[in-house]
Amino acid sequence: MNLFKTAEKAHKGDHFDLDAALDAIKFNANGLVPAIAQQYDSGEVLMMAWMNPESIRETLATGRVCYWSRSRQQYWRKGESSGQIQQLKEMRIDCDGDTLLLLVDQTGPACHTGRKSCFYNIIRNDQMEIGSDPLIDPDTLYGGK
Amino acid sequence: MNLFKTAEKAHKGDHFDLDAALDAIKFNANGLVPAIAQQYDSGEVLMMAWMNPESIRETLATGRVCYWSRSRQQYWRKGESSGQIQQLKEMRIDCDGDTLLLLVDQTGPACHTGRKSCFYNIIRNDQMEIGSDPLIDPDTLYGGK
């Protein structure tokens, strides 16, 4: 039986082998799994990006979040160009093993626009409203043009 | 220019046409976009599921969250079999228009295992640890066998 199916019936505090759990994660047709990043203390959802098996293992080994960039088709060590890194506080896996939740400590903004969170487009009063301004000018973050 | 690209440079409180925003959402090859559900008051991330254009519009129209079930290939009005519905408090769209964040009020457990959140598998001390027990026996939720 799939490890996550077995875990469904397990009790709080029960343990499973980590390698077996990581091997049981269900990756999509592109070999990726979605990872939600949440600021560990405030609870703010910062962003969603994608991981492959190697980026998951690197993130657990280094404590610094590494995604897989679909647009650039390469490892994306969050903050490597902007300096706005994510320290991993805890990684969680969902009930069916196909989504990750990363509790992180985000240095500065998570969003490439310079905003704290990527989820600043709010549907309100039958319109889409901008919910926040950048903390830092993105031209400063990425060295400008 | 894509609406979300224009929104990147907009300021807090600026508005965009809702239909134009919904039309600019980037769906994947299967016509779906990931939607993260977060309990609006506690900040707990409950689950991640998928939406298509019609389920987004239905959710906004009714105030009750409707996903698209990939396994069943049909609309999934959260709680239709378990009674554990999600009332939408706010929908947000991320910077590049390819992920949704739903702030919801979840009745009872969000997870099919009867746990409040689907993210109960915690990586801790080089093991995977079960972080919570069901609030309700899932056999009760789904009528047993």
Side-chain angles (χ1 to χ4, degrees):
Chain A
M1 193 191 283
N2 177 273
L3 181 139
F4 293 104
K5 206 75 192 159
T6 306
E8 287 187 6
K9 301 286 184 191
H11 300 285
K12 186 176 173 177
D14 286 352
H15 291 94
F16 292 81
D17 180 73
L18 179 58
D19 280 325
L22 297 181
D23 286 346
I25 290 174
K26 290 173 210 156
F27 295 91
N28 69 13
N30 297 316
L32 301 174
V33 66
I36 302 160
Q38 181 180 32
Q39 176 65 31
Y40 81 101
D41 47 4
S42 70
E44 186 172 18
V45 175
L46 300 170
M47 58 181 284
M48 200 202 79
W50 298 81
M51 290 182 142
N52 66 12
E54 279 310 304
S55 67
I56 293 172
R57 287 180 185 273
E58 176 177 316
T59 297
L60 290 172
T62 65
R64 191 173 147 187
V65 178
C66 174
Y67 298 103
W68 176 260
S69 169
R70 297 180 303 170
S71 56
R72 291 182 282 129
Q73 287 288 303
Q74 62 183 43
Y75 290 102
W76 169 25
R77 290 170 187 93
K78 180 71 181 160
E80 64 194 342
S81 53
S82 68
Q84 311 300 307
I85 67 169
Q86 289 180 347
Q87 289 290 148
L88 184 72
K89 292 287 185 176
E90 192 167 271
M91 186 183 289
R92 299 183 188 171
I93 310 172
D94 80 339
C95 52
D96 47 8
D98 66 2
T99 308
L100 306 180
L101 177 63
L102 311 176
L103 298 180
V104 303
D105 192 11
Q106 170 72 52
T107 301
C111 184
H112 76 287
T113 65
R115 293 175 176 90
K116 184 74 185 181
S117 162
C118 294
F119 294 96
Y120 56 81
N121 296 303
I122 301 178
I123 297 177
R124 184 177 284 169
N125 301 323
D126 290 324
Q127 293 188 299
M128 186 181 92
E129 181 177 321
I130 305 297
S132 64
D133 285 324
L135 304 174
I136 303 177
D137 185 313
D139 287 344
T140 307
L141 277 181
Y142 297 98
K145 289 179 185 176
Chain B
M1 192 191 283
N2 176 274
L3 182 138
F4 292 105
K5 206 75 193 160
T6 305
E8 287 187 6
K9 301 286 185 189
H11 300 285
K12 186 176 174 178
D14 286 352
H15 292 94
F16 293 81
D17 181 73
L18 179 58
D19 280 326
L22 298 182
D23 287 345
I25 289 174
K26 290 174 209 156
F27 296 92
N28 69 13
N30 297 316
L32 301 174
V33 66
I36 302 159
Q38 181 179 31
Q39 175 66 30
Y40 82 101
D41 48 3
S42 70
E44 186 172 20
V45 175
L46 300 170
M47 58 181 285
M48 200 202 80
W50 298 81
M51 290 182 142
N52 66 11
E54 279 310 305
S55 67
I56 293 172
R57 287 179 185 275
E58 175 177 316
T59 297
L60 290 171
T62 64
R64 191 172 148 188
V65 178
C66 174
Y67 299 103
W68 175 259
S69 169
R70 296 180 303 171
S71 56
R72 290 182 282 129
Q73 287 287 304
Q74 63 183 42
Y75 290 101
W76 170 25
R77 291 170 186 93
K78 180 71 182 160
E80 64 194 343
S81 53
S82 67
Q84 311 300 306
I85 67 169
Q86 289 180 347
Q87 288 291 148
L88 184 72
K89 292 288 184 173
E90 191 169 272
M91 186 183 289
R92 299 183 187 172
I93 310 172
D94 81 339
C95 51
D96 46 8
D98 66 2
T99 307
L100 306 180
L101 177 63
L102 312 177
L103 299 179
V104 303
D105 192 11
Q106 170 72 52
T107 301
C111 184
H112 76 288
T113 64
R115 293 174 177 90
K116 184 75 184 180
S117 162
C118 294
F119 294 97
Y120 56 80
N121 296 304
I122 302 178
I123 298 177
R124 184 178 283 169
N125 301 322
D126 291 323
Q127 294 188 298
M128 186 181 93
E129 181 177 320
I130 305 297
S132 64
D133 285 324
L135 303 175
I136 303 176
D137 185 314
D139 287 345
T140 307
L141 277 181
Y142 297 98
K145 288 180 187 175

